[in-house]
Amino acid sequence: MSSAEPTKQTGPAVRSHADRDRVPAPAPMPGLAESARLLADSATTSSALVADALARIEAAQPTLNAFRHLRAEAALAEAAEADRRLAAGERLPLLGVPVAVKDDTDVAGLPTHFGCDGERPPATTDSEAVRRLRAAGAVIVGKTNSCELGQWPFTEGPAFGATRNPWNTAHTPGGSSGGSAAAVAAGLVPAALGSDGAGSVRIPAAWTHLVGIKPQRGRVSVHPNHDAFQGLTVNGPLARTVADAALLLDAAAGAHPDDFHRPPAVRASDAARRDPGRLRIALAWRPPLTLTGAGPDPEVRRAVAALAETLARLGHHVEEARPRYGLIGLTFVPRATAGIAEFAARHPEPALLDPRTRTALRTGTRLGGRVVRAARAREVRQHRRIGALFDASGYDVLLTPTTAAPPPRIGTFDRLSAWRTDVTMAAACPYAWPWNVLGWPGINVPAGFTRSGLPVGAQLLGPSRSEERLIALAAQLEDDLRWYERRPPIS
């Protein structure tokens, strides 16, 4: 795959289970923290880890189609330099470790297509998040696929084909950070950065059996956008373990001087080693109003209920509750569509955009200006109303399903109108997006599998700046459930 041109795949080949059974699976790639430890102990080299990641990506690309661009030559050169630095005694949190980033993130020398078709010039500078990852020593091996402008909970489009779920390639890994999720779940890279504007880290994490952290707004810079999608979108990590996700969060976190949102620093990796204490946890089954009548699929409900029972067994007080969401969707829609309009207006060839994107562009243009300002002004009242769950009712964490449904089949959203796409999407994914409106943190944790083997997830949600509590609770769950021991057929 060229680092200068996108790889288009309209019909990637899918190997059968029998074919996979005949090919011995390679040893699993070590996780992020383990890779860093092996490098610091001189038990491996960055050149070996990066070459292994590139080989795995190339081998899986016809099946999973997780990547839009690879930086093979540049990444190997950076790995060799990392080895020289390691040999000289230098130590950094991720020195020499391969990671991937989503293709809405600027990496100098590569175009940022953000799921769109057409030509784009290479970015001249790194985004702030990539700059910080490099400062921590990470080697960026490539950019992962996203649906067009990050709008949908699937990662498919004419520009690159369909990105597939390593647990079952007939199904989507979710979106819009589906490429990052597929790459991590399949063990192509130890961890990857995604972005979350309405659940786009948490949804694919749920559907690929990963930990996905949506941090507090501003925790990880979205520079050069500063206020992406009217404050809805944040960058966050996807990884197989809480410790790996926390390590990537620590490495990427921090503000650019021009950023609007600058929360105080957290120590995510320290939180992953901390006992969360005994918490009061509210379990909410009812999603906010979406006019779809959506509720959790019975298999999703069964899995999340089992997770709630685990939390109770671990000593937490868990009881059902109903957050007062109100009509929060009326403020989400103007912000989301205005954000799409802002990004779509930058496309040099608008005719190449999906018709649904052009519909969102028109809607966002109509709802921009005064309507968006009014929607954002309501956020303070939404903080008070929904925050009463924590402040007045005394809960520490809100537990919900991450999605109402298991991962849909590839092509489910093909040829749907903009309206039908939105309705179908809202029915499948009604739980995640309110926390983007609020700007508060949340974590997807694996909740188990359907009877047909498809992953589903649960959200741990908290009030403002509560990442450390959520991470500590997720780590406690992981220590008990050991979800990282189960791997997909393609790995």
Side-chain angles (χ1 to χ4, degrees):
M1 194 175 4
S2 166
S3 64
E5 296 181 358
T7 297
K8 293 190 178 184
Q9 293 187 309
T10 54
V14 180
R15 291 184 296 162
S16 69
H17 287 281
D19 290 334
R20 286 199 296 271
D21 291 342
R22 286 194 291 269
V23 179
M29 172 169 267
L32 198 70
E34 177 68 4
S35 295
R37 186 192 65 78
L38 291 170
L39 287 166
D41 292 347
S42 302
T44 189
T45 65
S46 178
S47 296
L49 288 178
V50 170
D52 184 30
L54 291 169
R56 290 169 185 262
I57 293 165
E58 291 280 13
Q61 188 66 7
T63 305
L64 296 183
N65 189 26
F67 279 78
R68 186 75 182 260
H69 295 287
L70 279 185
R71 304 179 64 247
E73 184 176 345
L76 288 169
E78 291 166 14
E81 175 61 21
D83 286 331
R84 286 190 286 272
R85 295 165 67 185
L86 287 160
E90 185 174 355
R91 295 294 181 265
L92 292 169
L94 296 178
L95 184 54
V97 181
V99 300
V101 300
K102 183 178 176 180
D103 191 33
D104 62 347
T105 306
D106 285 353
V107 175
L110 294 181
T112 302
H113 285 97
F114 203 175
C116 297
D117 207 348
E119 298 301 319
R120 287 291 182 95
T124 56
T125 58
D126 290 332
S127 68
E128 179 66 13
V130 168
R131 188 194 70 78
R132 288 179 177 272
L133 289 175
R134 290 191 196 273
V139 177
I140 310 298
V141 296
K143 300 180 70 172
T144 58
N145 275 323
S146 164
C147 64
E148 192 167 286
L149 303 185
Q151 302 167 80
W152 305 306
F154 55 90
T155 303
E156 302 164 40
F160 59 88
T163 297
R164 295 174 180 270
N165 195 319
W167 292 93
N168 185 324
T169 54
H171 292 257
T172 182
S176 61
S177 305
S180 288
V184 176
L188 311 184
V189 289
L193 197 66
S195 62
D196 190 315
S200 287
V201 162
R202 290 162 289 157
I203 291 166
W207 285 346
T208 57
H209 196 63
L210 295 178
V211 176
I213 300 178
K214 175 216 172 296
Q216 178 78 21
R217 183 184 297 150
R219 178 75 60 215
V220 180
S221 176
V222 291
H223 168 81
N225 298 304
H226 307 307
D227 194 39
F229 286 83
Q230 294 293 323
L232 296 177
T233 294
V234 299
N235 290 324
L238 295 109
R240 295 185 61 248
T241 68
V242 176
D244 283 356
L247 178 57
L248 193 64
L249 179 59
D250 279 338
H256 184 273
D258 295 335
D259 283 348
F260 295 162
H261 311 287
R262 308 171 69 87
V266 296
R267 299 169 67 93
S269 292
D270 288 350
R273 296 186 288 269
R274 187 183 307 150
D275 189 309
R278 186 174 186 270
L279 302 176
R280 294 192 71 228
I281 299 173
L283 170 60
W285 296 112
R286 185 175 178 179
L289 181 66
T290 60
L291 302 179
T292 64
D297 178 276
E299 291 201 87
V300 171
R301 188 177 181 110
R302 172 184 55 79
V304 176
L307 193 86
E309 291 172 4
T310 299
L311 287 165
R313 177 171 53 78
L314 291 171
H316 303 290
H317 177 79
V318 182
E319 64 183 19
E320 293 191 16
R322 284 190 177 183
R324 294 177 56 229
Y325 291 114
L327 299 178
I328 192 170
L330 296 180
T331 62
F332 172 77
V333 171
R335 294 171 69 171
T337 56
I340 293 167
E342 290 164 5
F343 276 86
R346 304 175 197 171
H347 198 286
E349 299 178 83
L352 294 177
L353 294 171
D354 189 295
R356 293 170 290 189
T357 301
R358 297 200 295 272
T359 297
L361 189 159
R362 291 189 293 271
T363 302
T365 301
R366 287 196 302 271
L367 297 180
R370 183 186 304 173
V371 177
V372 163
R373 288 194 296 272
R376 299 199 67 166
R378 292 189 64 83
E379 190 177 305
V380 173
R381 279 173 282 179
Q382 291 162 340
H383 285 166
R384 286 198 298 265
R385 185 180 64 249
I386 299 173
L389 182 79
F390 307 105
D391 299 330
S393 299
Y395 292 107
D396 300 299
V397 173
L398 172 63
L399 170 67
T400 79
T402 302
T403 67
R409 295 183 70 86
I410 295 288
T412 294
F413 294 84
D414 286 357
R415 294 179 293 279
L416 295 183
S417 67
W419 172 252
R420 290 304 309 166
T421 297
D422 288 346
V423 169
T424 305
M425 176 172 64
C429 304
Y431 291 102
W433 55 268
W435 249 243
N436 296 87
V437 175
L438 300 170
W440 294 347
I443 300 180
N444 174 78
V445 293
F449 295 84
T450 67
R451 290 180 177 84
S452 60
L454 295 171
V456 296
Q459 290 186 110
L460 305 175
L461 302 170
S464 180
R465 304 174 184 177
S466 59
E467 287 103 323
E468 291 189 0
R469 178 189 301 158
L470 300 177
I471 289 168
L473 181 59
Q476 183 187 51
L477 269 171
E478 179 181 89
D479 186 59
D480 185 83
L481 297 175
R482 303 178 70 84
W483 52 61
Y484 51 83
E485 293 180 347
R486 188 162 176 179
R487 292 179 177 269
I490 299 178
S491 63

